[in-house]
């Protein structure tokens, strides 16, 4: 169950870009699972059920505007000081920050498919099940999201 907790937290963190909000969402996911575990029929994998709950809660949070200001300065400073080659770390940090910013700026319906496919590695059919969408819609949204990301990250590409 610990592995599921880390994955749920990871998805929430990537969607919301805020550690405390991601912790709140992860806690809410497992509270809901605990309250509805008898309703789980096993027709889908447990991970699919957890991703579905997590993505809905994250999208609801984003839509409701219950956002707090992300405080990533401390984490960025830790990453910068941990590398032996400061110039390389700075360049990686800039690319990582630009990528995270670009993902954050994606429309919510595209952001969730990028997070689930490219960051979590879920197959298309599982993403379709999690989001209750046709597989072709998932593929289309992912394609558009990747085009958006490519356009936003042009200056980092060779």
């Amino acid at each position: 169950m610990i592995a599921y907790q880390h994955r749920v937290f990871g998805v929430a963190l990537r969607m919301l870009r805020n550690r405390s909000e991601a912790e709140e969402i992860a806690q809410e996911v497992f509270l809901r699972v605990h309250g509805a575990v008898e309703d789980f029929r096993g027709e889908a994998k447990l991970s699919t059920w957890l991703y579905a709950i997590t993505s809905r809660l994250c999208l609801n949070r984003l839509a409701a505007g219950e956002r707090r200001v992300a405080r990533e300065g401390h984490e960025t400073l830790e990453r910068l000081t941990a590398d032996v080659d400061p110039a390389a770390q700075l360049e990686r940090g800039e690319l990582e920050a630009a990528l995270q910013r670009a993902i954050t700026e994606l429309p919510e319906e595209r952001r969730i498919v990028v997070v689930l496919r490219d960051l979590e590695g879920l197959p298309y059919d599982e993403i379709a099940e999690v989001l209750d969408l046709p597989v072709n819609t998932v593929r289309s949204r992912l394609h558009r999201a990747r085009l958006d990301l490519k356009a936003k990250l042009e200056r980092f590409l060779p």
Side-chain angles (χ1 to χ4, degrees), residues 28-42:
E28 179 67 23
V29 167
F30 287 98
L31 285 172
R32 289 185 182 206
V33 166
H34 179 72
V37 74
E38 65 276 354
D39 295 334
F40 181 67
R41 297 179 302 254

Side-chain angles (χ1 to χ4, degrees), residues 85-133:
D85 182 4
Q89 180 60 32
L90 182 60
E91 188 175 317
R92 276 194 303 275
E94 287 176 0
L95 176 58
E96 182 181 310
L99 178 60
Q100 291 300 329
R101 217 174 15 261
I103 290 172
T104 301
E105 292 170 357
L106 288 172
E108 294 161 8
E109 70 275 357
R110 292 182 189 171
R111 184 180 335 148
I112 189 66
V113 295
V114 167
V115 169
L116 294 176
R117 176 69 184 162
D118 293 337
L119 302 177
E120 290 297 316
L122 268 63
Y124 291 104
D125 59 334
E126 193 169 339
I127 297 169
E129 190 174 342
V130 164
L131 299 176
D132 194 28
L133 296 170

